[in-house]
Amino acid sequence: MHKPLWSIDTIKFDDIDRMRVQNDEILFLVICSASLIESGSDLYTSTLVDFFGESEAAQWLSQYWEPEELQHGRALRRYVETVWQDFDWDTAFTQFMREYSAFCSLDELEPTPALELVARCVVETGTAALYRALHDYTDEPILKQITGFIRSDEVRHYKYFHRFFAEYNRHAAYGRWPVLRVLGRRLAELRNEDADCALRHVFQIRYPDESIDSAHFAQLSKAARGLVMQNISHEMMVKMFLQPLQLPGYMRNWVQKPCAQMMRRFMAN
């Protein structure tokens, strides 16, 4: 396995240049939403560990993936609470978890471990792309450091999920079509209910007198998505997305560019 590559204890939160970020409301919404999702990862981990049973994948999930995901949540929460000190993060998280817990059941997983690992690859592709986009967007040094750390973790997590998939699939022997169906379905969910759910609860605490049915929420939600989409690397996403299909090198090289163009159009809608 591996040792953690960074620690929240080494991040100098007191050195945050608050003036660079505190008036960026859209960045706040994206970072705070991410902090809620990451901080709830222990609930999702328990579901995955039950699903994978007595396996190396389950051991890695509980011993490595969960602590690292929770550290992401702690770092992002600390950043939010340092910069936007009037935001009630605890209440937002409590309300978020009441709704989010419904998304963490065994019923939400793919029917077999091999296919669920394909789904995990898509999720890690999305999170790696998100944190790379945030890293490229911000010029605040501490946030750039945090998002760089998290991005590297998510890419490494992807590699583990991909390796576990390859091991499971040696026995399951899924062809490309079943894998592609999972990839396509999960790609459609990258604009997912998790992020929408988190954003709703951040908005409700941030603007307690406004409704999520308001034009203001729709405007902020669109802007938050735009911040990510304008800074995302579609080429990186396509390379990660295609890996579980185990395409021959010549075919992978042939489809990457048109797939990146399709990904760009898809994510923009």
Side-chain angles (χ1 to χ4, degrees), residues 21-68:
V21 290
Q22 63 184 1
N23 295 321
D24 191 333
E25 187 69 2
I26 307 306
L27 179 65
F28 159 75
L29 292 170
V30 175
I31 292 293
C32 194
S33 296
S35 74
L36 299 184
I37 296 169
E38 299 280 9
S39 297
S41 56
D42 54 340
L43 180 60
Y44 210 95
T45 304
S46 64
T47 300
L48 289 172
V49 168
D50 288 344
F51 185 69
F52 285 104
E54 299 293 328
S55 67
E56 183 186 3
Q59 180 184 8
W60 175 78
L61 284 163
S62 60
Q63 294 185 6
Y64 297 92
W65 188 70
E66 178 182 344
E68 291 181 2

mmCIF file of all heavy atoms in Angstrom, residues 21-68:
data_model
loop_
_atom_site.group_PDB
_atom_site.id
_atom_site.type_symbol
_atom_site.label_atom_id
_atom_site.label_comp_id
_atom_site.label_asym_id
_atom_site.label_seq_id
_atom_site.Cartn_x
_atom_site.Cartn_y
_atom_site.Cartn_z
ATOM 1 N N VAL A 21 -9.577 35.754 -1.639
ATOM 2 C CA VAL A 21 -10.663 34.795 -1.837
ATOM 3 C C VAL A 21 -11.955 35.126 -1.115
ATOM 4 O O VAL A 21 -13.023 34.627 -1.502
ATOM 5 C CB VAL A 21 -10.216 33.367 -1.413
ATOM 6 C CG1 VAL A 21 -9.191 32.802 -2.374
ATOM 7 C CG2 VAL A 21 -9.677 33.361 0.020
ATOM 8 N N GLN A 22 -11.922 35.942 -0.084
ATOM 9 C CA GLN A 22 -13.095 36.054 0.774
ATOM 10 C C GLN A 22 -14.303 36.687 0.083
ATOM 11 O O GLN A 22 -15.442 36.476 0.505
ATOM 12 C CB GLN A 22 -12.761 36.817 2.054
ATOM 13 C CG GLN A 22 -12.340 38.254 1.861
ATOM 14 C CD GLN A 22 -11.939 38.899 3.192
ATOM 15 O OE1 GLN A 22 -11.956 38.256 4.239
ATOM 16 N NE2 GLN A 22 -11.577 40.165 3.143
ATOM 17 N N ASN A 23 -14.079 37.429 -0.993
ATOM 18 C CA ASN A 23 -15.201 38.019 -1.725
ATOM 19 C C ASN A 23 -15.593 37.213 -2.953
ATOM 20 O O ASN A 23 -16.455 37.648 -3.728
ATOM 21 C CB ASN A 23 -14.854 39.454 -2.135
ATOM 22 C CG ASN A 23 -14.687 40.363 -0.929
ATOM 23 O OD1 ASN A 23 -15.430 40.260 0.052
ATOM 24 N ND2 ASN A 23 -13.703 41.245 -0.990
ATOM 25 N N ASP A 24 -14.977 36.053 -3.132
ATOM 26 C CA ASP A 24 -15.299 35.180 -4.265
ATOM 27 C C ASP A 24 -16.396 34.211 -3.822
ATOM 28 O O ASP A 24 -16.129 33.115 -3.327
ATOM 29 C CB ASP A 24 -14.046 34.424 -4.719
ATOM 30 C CG ASP A 24 -14.236 33.710 -6.049
ATOM 31 O OD1 ASP A 24 -15.392 33.363 -6.376
ATOM 32 O OD2 ASP A 24 -13.237 33.485 -6.754
ATOM 33 N N GLU A 25 -17.637 34.633 -3.993
ATOM 34 C CA GLU A 25 -18.765 33.857 -3.491
ATOM 35 C C GLU A 25 -18.896 32.513 -4.204
ATOM 36 O O GLU A 25 -19.279 31.514 -3.593
ATOM 37 C CB GLU A 25 -20.057 34.650 -3.639
ATOM 38 C CG GLU A 25 -21.271 34.019 -3.001
ATOM 39 C CD GLU A 25 -21.218 34.001 -1.476
ATOM 40 O OE1 GLU A 25 -20.244 34.513 -0.884
ATOM 41 O OE2 GLU A 25 -22.168 33.464 -0.872
ATOM 42 N N ILE A 26 -18.584 32.482 -5.480
ATOM 43 C CA ILE A 26 -18.726 31.234 -6.232
ATOM 44 C C ILE A 26 -17.669 30.230 -5.767
ATOM 45 O O ILE A 26 -17.967 29.041 -5.591
ATOM 46 C CB ILE A 26 -18.610 31.494 -7.742
ATOM 47 C CG1 ILE A 26 -19.595 32.590 -8.161
ATOM 48 C CG2 ILE A 26 -18.858 30.213 -8.523
ATOM 49 C CD1 ILE A 26 -21.031 32.334 -7.759
ATOM 50 N N LEU A 27 -16.451 30.684 -5.552
ATOM 51 C CA LEU A 27 -15.410 29.797 -5.022
ATOM 52 C C LEU A 27 -15.824 29.260 -3.663
ATOM 53 O O LEU A 27 -15.651 28.064 -3.376
ATOM 54 C CB LEU A 27 -14.079 30.539 -4.919
ATOM 55 C CG LEU A 27 -12.915 29.730 -4.351
ATOM 56 C CD1 LEU A 27 -12.549 28.568 -5.274
ATOM 57 C CD2 LEU A 27 -11.692 30.625 -4.111
ATOM 58 N N PHE A 28 -16.369 30.108 -2.827
ATOM 59 C CA PHE A 28 -16.859 29.657 -1.518
ATOM 60 C C PHE A 28 -17.857 28.517 -1.668
ATOM 61 O O PHE A 28 -17.763 27.493 -0.988
ATOM 62 C CB PHE A 28 -17.507 30.815 -0.755
ATOM 63 C CG PHE A 28 -18.442 30.371 0.331
ATOM 64 C CD1 PHE A 28 -17.948 29.862 1.518
ATOM 65 C CD2 PHE A 28 -19.818 30.429 0.145
ATOM 66 C CE1 PHE A 28 -18.812 29.417 2.519
ATOM 67 C CE2 PHE A 28 -20.687 29.990 1.139
ATOM 68 C CZ PHE A 28 -20.193 29.492 2.328
ATOM 69 N N LEU A 29 -18.831 28.687 -2.565
ATOM 70 C CA LEU A 29 -19.858 27.662 -2.740
ATOM 71 C C LEU A 29 -19.254 26.334 -3.181
ATOM 72 O O LEU A 29 -19.651 25.270 -2.691
ATOM 73 C CB LEU A 29 -20.889 28.133 -3.767
ATOM 74 C CG LEU A 29 -21.777 29.309 -3.345
ATOM 75 C CD1 LEU A 29 -22.579 29.817 -4.542
ATOM 76 C CD2 LEU A 29 -22.701 28.920 -2.207
ATOM 77 N N VAL A 30 -18.289 26.382 -4.101
ATOM 78 C CA VAL A 30 -17.680 25.151 -4.609
ATOM 79 C C VAL A 30 -16.835 24.481 -3.532
ATOM 80 O O VAL A 30 -16.948 23.263 -3.304
ATOM 81 C CB VAL A 30 -16.836 25.443 -5.864
ATOM 82 C CG1 VAL A 30 -16.105 24.191 -6.325
ATOM 83 C CG2 VAL A 30 -17.722 25.984 -6.990
ATOM 84 N N ILE A 31 -15.998 25.249 -2.858
ATOM 85 C CA ILE A 31 -15.113 24.687 -1.826
ATOM 86 C C ILE A 31 -15.930 24.146 -0.655
ATOM 87 O O ILE A 31 -15.670 23.045 -0.142
ATOM 88 C CB ILE A 31 -14.119 25.757 -1.333
ATOM 89 C CG1 ILE A 31 -13.128 26.126 -2.435
ATOM 90 C CG2 ILE A 31 -13.364 25.260 -0.097
ATOM 91 C CD1 ILE A 31 -12.186 25.024 -2.819
ATOM 92 N N CYS A 32 -16.924 24.901 -0.227
ATOM 93 C CA CYS A 32 -17.722 24.458 0.915
ATOM 94 C C CYS A 32 -18.529 23.208 0.573
ATOM 95 O O CYS A 32 -18.623 22.283 1.387
ATOM 96 C CB CYS A 32 -18.638 25.584 1.373
ATOM 97 S SG CYS A 32 -19.364 25.288 2.995
ATOM 98 N N SER A 33 -19.099 23.158 -0.622
ATOM 99 C CA SER A 33 -19.835 21.962 -1.048
ATOM 100 C C SER A 33 -18.919 20.746 -1.062
ATOM 101 O O SER A 33 -19.296 19.658 -0.602
ATOM 102 C CB SER A 33 -20.448 22.182 -2.433
ATOM 103 O OG SER A 33 -21.405 23.221 -2.407
ATOM 104 N N ALA A 34 -17.714 20.920 -1.588
ATOM 105 C CA ALA A 34 -16.750 19.813 -1.615
ATOM 106 C C ALA A 34 -16.399 19.363 -0.201
ATOM 107 O O ALA A 34 -16.242 18.160 0.061
ATOM 108 C CB ALA A 34 -15.499 20.233 -2.379
ATOM 109 N N SER A 35 -16.283 20.312 0.714
ATOM 110 C CA SER A 35 -15.920 19.951 2.094
ATOM 111 C C SER A 35 -17.001 19.093 2.741
ATOM 112 O O SER A 35 -16.695 18.191 3.531
ATOM 113 C CB SER A 35 -15.670 21.213 2.929
ATOM 114 O OG SER A 35 -16.875 21.886 3.264
ATOM 115 N N LEU A 36 -18.270 19.356 2.431
ATOM 116 C CA LEU A 36 -19.356 18.545 2.990
ATOM 117 C C LEU A 36 -19.290 17.123 2.463
ATOM 118 O O LEU A 36 -19.403 16.152 3.222
ATOM 119 C CB LEU A 36 -20.716 19.166 2.654
ATOM 120 C CG LEU A 36 -21.017 20.572 3.171
ATOM 121 C CD1 LEU A 36 -22.453 20.961 2.804
ATOM 122 C CD2 LEU A 36 -20.800 20.683 4.663
ATOM 123 N N ILE A 37 -19.112 16.986 1.149
ATOM 124 C CA ILE A 37 -19.085 15.650 0.541
ATOM 125 C C ILE A 37 -17.901 14.843 1.056
ATOM 126 O O ILE A 37 -18.047 13.674 1.434
ATOM 127 C CB ILE A 37 -19.032 15.775 -0.993
ATOM 128 C CG1 ILE A 37 -20.307 16.431 -1.515
ATOM 129 C CG2 ILE A 37 -18.845 14.402 -1.638
ATOM 130 C CD1 ILE A 37 -20.245 16.834 -2.974
ATOM 131 N N GLU A 38 -16.727 15.453 1.084
ATOM 132 C CA GLU A 38 -15.538 14.740 1.556
ATOM 133 C C GLU A 38 -15.680 14.342 3.018
ATOM 134 O O GLU A 38 -15.246 13.258 3.425
ATOM 135 C CB GLU A 38 -14.294 15.624 1.375
ATOM 136 C CG GLU A 38 -13.972 16.024 -0.054
ATOM 137 C CD GLU A 38 -13.249 14.933 -0.840
ATOM 138 O OE1 GLU A 38 -13.136 13.802 -0.339
ATOM 139 O OE2 GLU A 38 -12.789 15.234 -1.957
ATOM 140 N N SER A 39 -16.319 15.188 3.814
ATOM 141 C CA SER A 39 -16.447 14.913 5.245
ATOM 142 C C SER A 39 -17.454 13.810 5.531
ATOM 143 O O SER A 39 -17.473 13.260 6.645
ATOM 144 C CB SER A 39 -16.850 16.186 5.996
ATOM 145 O OG SER A 39 -15.834 17.174 5.879
ATOM 146 N N GLY A 40 -18.281 13.466 4.550
ATOM 147 C CA GLY A 40 -19.217 12.363 4.720
ATOM 148 C C GLY A 40 -18.731 11.055 4.134
ATOM 149 O O GLY A 40 -19.501 10.090 4.035
ATOM 150 N N SER A 41 -17.469 10.989 3.768
ATOM 151 C CA SER A 41 -16.957 9.810 3.048
ATOM 152 C C SER A 41 -16.892 8.562 3.921
ATOM 153 O O SER A 41 -16.854 7.445 3.395
ATOM 154 C CB SER A 41 -15.577 10.109 2.452
ATOM 155 O OG SER A 41 -14.678 10.527 3.443
ATOM 156 N N ASP A 42 -16.879 8.719 5.253
ATOM 157 C CA ASP A 42 -16.844 7.523 6.100
ATOM 158 C C ASP A 42 -18.129 6.709 5.958
ATOM 159 O O ASP A 42 -18.100 5.472 6.002
ATOM 160 C CB ASP A 42 -16.590 7.891 7.558
ATOM 161 C CG ASP A 42 -17.563 8.927 8.097
ATOM 162 O OD1 ASP A 42 -18.196 9.643 7.295
ATOM 163 O OD2 ASP A 42 -17.690 9.036 9.331
ATOM 164 N N LEU A 43 -19.249 7.394 5.758
ATOM 165 C CA LEU A 43 -20.514 6.687 5.553
ATOM 166 C C LEU A 43 -20.477 5.878 4.259
ATOM 167 O O LEU A 43 -20.881 4.713 4.226
ATOM 168 C CB LEU A 43 -21.668 7.687 5.518
ATOM 169 C CG LEU A 43 -23.072 7.121 5.301
ATOM 170 C CD1 LEU A 43 -23.438 6.154 6.417
ATOM 171 C CD2 LEU A 43 -24.094 8.261 5.225
ATOM 172 N N TYR A 44 -19.971 6.485 3.207
ATOM 173 C CA TYR A 44 -19.884 5.787 1.928
ATOM 174 C C TYR A 44 -18.881 4.641 2.011
ATOM 175 O O TYR A 44 -19.092 3.572 1.429
ATOM 176 C CB TYR A 44 -19.478 6.752 0.817
ATOM 177 C CG TYR A 44 -20.040 6.375 -0.523
ATOM 178 C CD1 TYR A 44 -21.220 6.939 -0.988
ATOM 179 C CD2 TYR A 44 -19.416 5.423 -1.320
ATOM 180 C CE1 TYR A 44 -21.759 6.582 -2.204
ATOM 181 C CE2 TYR A 44 -19.948 5.055 -2.543
ATOM 182 C CZ TYR A 44 -21.118 5.636 -2.989
ATOM 183 O OH TYR A 44 -21.650 5.259 -4.187
ATOM 184 N N THR A 45 -17.785 4.850 2.744
ATOM 185 C CA THR A 45 -16.776 3.801 2.871
ATOM 186 C C THR A 45 -17.360 2.553 3.500
ATOM 187 O O THR A 45 -17.084 1.431 3.062
ATOM 188 C CB THR A 45 -15.577 4.286 3.708
ATOM 189 O OG1 THR A 45 -15.036 5.467 3.132
ATOM 190 C CG2 THR A 45 -14.483 3.217 3.751
ATOM 191 N N SER A 46 -18.170 2.711 4.541
ATOM 192 C CA SER A 46 -18.733 1.541 5.224
ATOM 193 C C SER A 46 -19.604 0.732 4.268
ATOM 194 O O SER A 46 -19.592 -0.506 4.309
ATOM 195 C CB SER A 46 -19.538 1.976 6.449
ATOM 196 O OG SER A 46 -20.665 2.758 6.077
ATOM 197 N N THR A 47 -20.321 1.421 3.378
ATOM 198 C CA THR A 47 -21.147 0.716 2.392
ATOM 199 C C THR A 47 -20.254 -0.059 1.423
ATOM 200 O O THR A 47 -20.519 -1.231 1.110
ATOM 201 C CB THR A 47 -22.013 1.716 1.614
ATOM 202 O OG1 THR A 47 -22.857 2.421 2.534
ATOM 203 C CG2 THR A 47 -22.873 1.003 0.583
ATOM 204 N N LEU A 48 -19.191 0.572 0.947
ATOM 205 C CA LEU A 48 -18.289 -0.097 0.011
ATOM 206 C C LEU A 48 -17.560 -1.271 0.667
ATOM 207 O O LEU A 48 -17.384 -2.329 0.045
ATOM 208 C CB LEU A 48 -17.269 0.905 -0.545
ATOM 209 C CG LEU A 48 -17.809 1.960 -1.515
ATOM 210 C CD1 LEU A 48 -16.736 3.002 -1.826
ATOM 211 C CD2 LEU A 48 -18.295 1.313 -2.808
ATOM 212 N N VAL A 49 -17.135 -1.105 1.903
ATOM 213 C CA VAL A 49 -16.422 -2.182 2.599
ATOM 214 C C VAL A 49 -17.339 -3.391 2.758
ATOM 215 O O VAL A 49 -16.930 -4.543 2.543
ATOM 216 C CB VAL A 49 -15.905 -1.693 3.966
ATOM 217 C CG1 VAL A 49 -15.437 -2.864 4.818
ATOM 218 C CG2 VAL A 49 -14.754 -0.703 3.766
ATOM 219 N N ASP A 50 -18.601 -3.157 3.122
ATOM 220 C CA ASP A 50 -19.557 -4.265 3.216
ATOM 221 C C ASP A 50 -19.711 -4.963 1.868
ATOM 222 O O ASP A 50 -19.800 -6.197 1.785
ATOM 223 C CB ASP A 50 -20.920 -3.751 3.676
ATOM 224 C CG ASP A 50 -20.926 -3.354 5.143
ATOM 225 O OD1 ASP A 50 -19.989 -3.751 5.867
ATOM 226 O OD2 ASP A 50 -21.861 -2.629 5.554
ATOM 227 N N PHE A 51 -19.730 -4.179 0.809
ATOM 228 C CA PHE A 51 -19.937 -4.716 -0.532
ATOM 229 C C PHE A 51 -18.767 -5.582 -0.973
ATOM 230 O O PHE A 51 -18.952 -6.646 -1.578
ATOM 231 C CB PHE A 51 -20.144 -3.559 -1.508
ATOM 232 C CG PHE A 51 -20.489 -3.978 -2.911
ATOM 233 C CD1 PHE A 51 -21.707 -4.562 -3.199
ATOM 234 C CD2 PHE A 51 -19.598 -3.771 -3.959
ATOM 235 C CE1 PHE A 51 -22.035 -4.943 -4.493
ATOM 236 C CE2 PHE A 51 -19.915 -4.137 -5.244
ATOM 237 C CZ PHE A 51 -21.140 -4.729 -5.524
ATOM 238 N N PHE A 52 -17.536 -5.152 -0.657
ATOM 239 C CA PHE A 52 -16.352 -5.879 -1.116
ATOM 240 C C PHE A 52 -15.912 -6.979 -0.156
ATOM 241 O O PHE A 52 -15.048 -7.796 -0.507
ATOM 242 C CB PHE A 52 -15.197 -4.897 -1.372
ATOM 243 C CG PHE A 52 -15.363 -4.107 -2.629
ATOM 244 C CD1 PHE A 52 -15.750 -2.784 -2.589
ATOM 245 C CD2 PHE A 52 -15.151 -4.685 -3.872
ATOM 246 C CE1 PHE A 52 -15.920 -2.041 -3.744
ATOM 247 C CE2 PHE A 52 -15.315 -3.962 -5.043
ATOM 248 C CZ PHE A 52 -15.706 -2.636 -4.981
ATOM 249 N N GLY A 53 -16.502 -7.026 1.031
ATOM 250 C CA GLY A 53 -16.260 -8.145 1.939
ATOM 251 C C GLY A 53 -14.800 -8.280 2.365
ATOM 252 O O GLY A 53 -14.097 -7.296 2.560
ATOM 253 N N GLU A 54 -14.359 -9.518 2.508
ATOM 254 C CA GLU A 54 -12.994 -9.795 2.954
ATOM 255 C C GLU A 54 -12.069 -9.791 1.736
ATOM 256 O O GLU A 54 -11.748 -10.830 1.167
ATOM 257 C CB GLU A 54 -12.942 -11.155 3.661
ATOM 258 C CG GLU A 54 -13.809 -11.258 4.898
ATOM 259 C CD GLU A 54 -13.313 -10.350 6.022
ATOM 260 O OE1 GLU A 54 -12.086 -10.134 6.110
ATOM 261 O OE2 GLU A 54 -14.162 -9.858 6.781
ATOM 262 N N SER A 55 -11.630 -8.617 1.352
ATOM 263 C CA SER A 55 -10.800 -8.500 0.154
ATOM 264 C C SER A 55 -9.740 -7.431 0.367
ATOM 265 O O SER A 55 -9.822 -6.612 1.294
ATOM 266 C CB SER A 55 -11.655 -8.129 -1.061
ATOM 267 O OG SER A 55 -12.168 -6.818 -0.919
ATOM 268 N N GLU A 56 -8.749 -7.444 -0.499
ATOM 269 C CA GLU A 56 -7.718 -6.407 -0.443
ATOM 270 C C GLU A 56 -8.329 -5.036 -0.691
ATOM 271 O O GLU A 56 -7.927 -4.041 -0.081
ATOM 272 C CB GLU A 56 -6.628 -6.692 -1.481
ATOM 273 C CG GLU A 56 -5.475 -5.682 -1.435
ATOM 274 C CD GLU A 56 -4.466 -5.884 -2.554
ATOM 275 O OE1 GLU A 56 -4.682 -6.775 -3.396
ATOM 276 O OE2 GLU A 56 -3.470 -5.139 -2.587
ATOM 277 N N ALA A 57 -9.313 -4.986 -1.604
ATOM 278 C CA ALA A 57 -9.958 -3.709 -1.890
ATOM 279 C C ALA A 57 -10.643 -3.154 -0.647
ATOM 280 O O ALA A 57 -10.535 -1.952 -0.346
ATOM 281 C CB ALA A 57 -10.976 -3.883 -3.015
ATOM 282 N N ALA A 58 -11.354 -3.994 0.089
ATOM 283 C CA ALA A 58 -12.033 -3.546 1.300
ATOM 284 C C ALA A 58 -11.027 -3.071 2.346
ATOM 285 O O ALA A 58 -11.247 -2.057 3.027
ATOM 286 C CB ALA A 58 -12.891 -4.672 1.866
ATOM 287 N N GLN A 59 -9.918 -3.792 2.470
ATOM 288 C CA GLN A 59 -8.878 -3.398 3.420
ATOM 289 C C GLN A 59 -8.305 -2.039 3.049
ATOM 290 O O GLN A 59 -8.116 -1.174 3.914
ATOM 291 C CB GLN A 59 -7.765 -4.452 3.430
ATOM 292 C CG GLN A 59 -6.639 -4.126 4.404
ATOM 293 C CD GLN A 59 -5.507 -5.149 4.326
ATOM 294 O OE1 GLN A 59 -5.492 -6.003 3.451
ATOM 295 N NE2 GLN A 59 -4.563 -5.048 5.221
ATOM 296 N N TRP A 60 -8.016 -1.841 1.780
ATOM 297 C CA TRP A 60 -7.467 -0.558 1.331
ATOM 298 C C TRP A 60 -8.471 0.574 1.561
ATOM 299 O O TRP A 60 -8.092 1.660 1.997
ATOM 300 C CB TRP A 60 -7.096 -0.643 -0.151
ATOM 301 C CG TRP A 60 -6.633 0.664 -0.708
ATOM 302 C CD1 TRP A 60 -5.409 1.245 -0.563
ATOM 303 C CD2 TRP A 60 -7.423 1.579 -1.497
ATOM 304 N NE1 TRP A 60 -5.366 2.465 -1.206
ATOM 305 C CE2 TRP A 60 -6.584 2.687 -1.786
ATOM 306 C CE3 TRP A 60 -8.724 1.553 -1.969
ATOM 307 C CZ2 TRP A 60 -7.033 3.770 -2.543
ATOM 308 C CZ3 TRP A 60 -9.176 2.630 -2.722
ATOM 309 C CH2 TRP A 60 -8.338 3.719 -3.003
ATOM 310 N N LEU A 61 -9.738 0.316 1.285
ATOM 311 C CA LEU A 61 -10.766 1.337 1.479
ATOM 312 C C LEU A 61 -10.814 1.817 2.924
ATOM 313 O O LEU A 61 -10.873 3.027 3.187
ATOM 314 C CB LEU A 61 -12.135 0.785 1.076
ATOM 315 C CG LEU A 61 -12.419 0.685 -0.421
ATOM 316 C CD1 LEU A 61 -13.607 -0.237 -0.672
ATOM 317 C CD2 LEU A 61 -12.689 2.063 -1.013
ATOM 318 N N SER A 62 -10.797 0.892 3.856
ATOM 319 C CA SER A 62 -10.944 1.266 5.263
ATOM 320 C C SER A 62 -9.646 1.828 5.853
ATOM 321 O O SER A 62 -9.685 2.741 6.682
ATOM 322 C CB SER A 62 -11.417 0.069 6.086
ATOM 323 O OG SER A 62 -10.494 -1.000 6.005
ATOM 324 N N GLN A 63 -8.499 1.311 5.416
ATOM 325 C CA GLN A 63 -7.237 1.711 6.032
ATOM 326 C C GLN A 63 -6.583 2.915 5.349
ATOM 327 O O GLN A 63 -5.809 3.639 5.997
ATOM 328 C CB GLN A 63 -6.258 0.538 6.031
ATOM 329 C CG GLN A 63 -6.702 -0.613 6.910
ATOM 330 C CD GLN A 63 -5.665 -1.719 6.990
ATOM 331 O OE1 GLN A 63 -4.553 -1.598 6.478
ATOM 332 N NE2 GLN A 63 -6.035 -2.818 7.612
ATOM 333 N N TYR A 64 -6.881 3.159 4.096
ATOM 334 C CA TYR A 64 -6.193 4.215 3.358
ATOM 335 C C TYR A 64 -7.156 5.222 2.737
ATOM 336 O O TYR A 64 -7.012 6.432 2.940
ATOM 337 C CB TYR A 64 -5.287 3.617 2.272
ATOM 338 C CG TYR A 64 -4.189 2.768 2.838
ATOM 339 C CD1 TYR A 64 -4.360 1.387 2.999
ATOM 340 C CD2 TYR A 64 -2.990 3.327 3.260
ATOM 341 C CE1 TYR A 64 -3.350 0.599 3.542
ATOM 342 C CE2 TYR A 64 -1.980 2.552 3.811
ATOM 343 C CZ TYR A 64 -2.166 1.196 3.945
ATOM 344 O OH TYR A 64 -1.176 0.420 4.497
ATOM 345 N N TRP A 65 -8.116 4.726 1.962
ATOM 346 C CA TRP A 65 -8.999 5.634 1.236
ATOM 347 C C TRP A 65 -9.821 6.506 2.190
ATOM 348 O O TRP A 65 -9.844 7.732 2.055
ATOM 349 C CB TRP A 65 -9.923 4.826 0.327
ATOM 350 C CG TRP A 65 -10.747 5.627 -0.622
ATOM 351 C CD1 TRP A 65 -10.306 6.323 -1.722
ATOM 352 C CD2 TRP A 65 -12.177 5.815 -0.580
ATOM 353 N NE1 TRP A 65 -11.371 6.910 -2.368
ATOM 354 C CE2 TRP A 65 -12.526 6.616 -1.688
ATOM 355 C CE3 TRP A 65 -13.181 5.365 0.279
ATOM 356 C CZ2 TRP A 65 -13.841 6.985 -1.958
ATOM 357 C CZ3 TRP A 65 -14.495 5.730 0.014
ATOM 358 C CH2 TRP A 65 -14.808 6.540 -1.086
ATOM 359 N N GLU A 66 -10.469 5.886 3.158
ATOM 360 C CA GLU A 66 -11.313 6.652 4.076
ATOM 361 C C GLU A 66 -10.529 7.715 4.844
ATOM 362 O O GLU A 66 -10.936 8.887 4.868
ATOM 363 C CB GLU A 66 -12.029 5.720 5.051
ATOM 364 C CG GLU A 66 -12.891 6.475 6.058
ATOM 365 C CD GLU A 66 -13.561 5.550 7.059
ATOM 366 O OE1 GLU A 66 -13.625 4.328 6.824
ATOM 367 O OE2 GLU A 66 -14.041 6.067 8.079
ATOM 368 N N PRO A 67 -9.381 7.381 5.487
ATOM 369 C CA PRO A 67 -8.650 8.433 6.201
ATOM 370 C C PRO A 67 -8.209 9.587 5.294
ATOM 371 O O PRO A 67 -8.238 10.748 5.710
ATOM 372 C CB PRO A 67 -7.436 7.692 6.780
ATOM 373 C CG PRO A 67 -7.865 6.263 6.868
ATOM 374 C CD PRO A 67 -8.766 6.045 5.693
ATOM 375 N N GLU A 68 -7.827 9.264 4.068
ATOM 376 C CA GLU A 68 -7.383 10.324 3.173
ATOM 377 C C GLU A 68 -8.555 11.187 2.718
ATOM 378 O O GLU A 68 -8.436 12.420 2.629
ATOM 379 C CB GLU A 68 -6.634 9.724 1.983
ATOM 380 C CG GLU A 68 -5.300 9.126 2.402
ATOM 381 C CD GLU A 68 -4.509 8.547 1.234
ATOM 382 O OE1 GLU A 68 -4.967 8.643 0.085
ATOM 383 O OE2 GLU A 68 -3.405 8.012 1.487
#
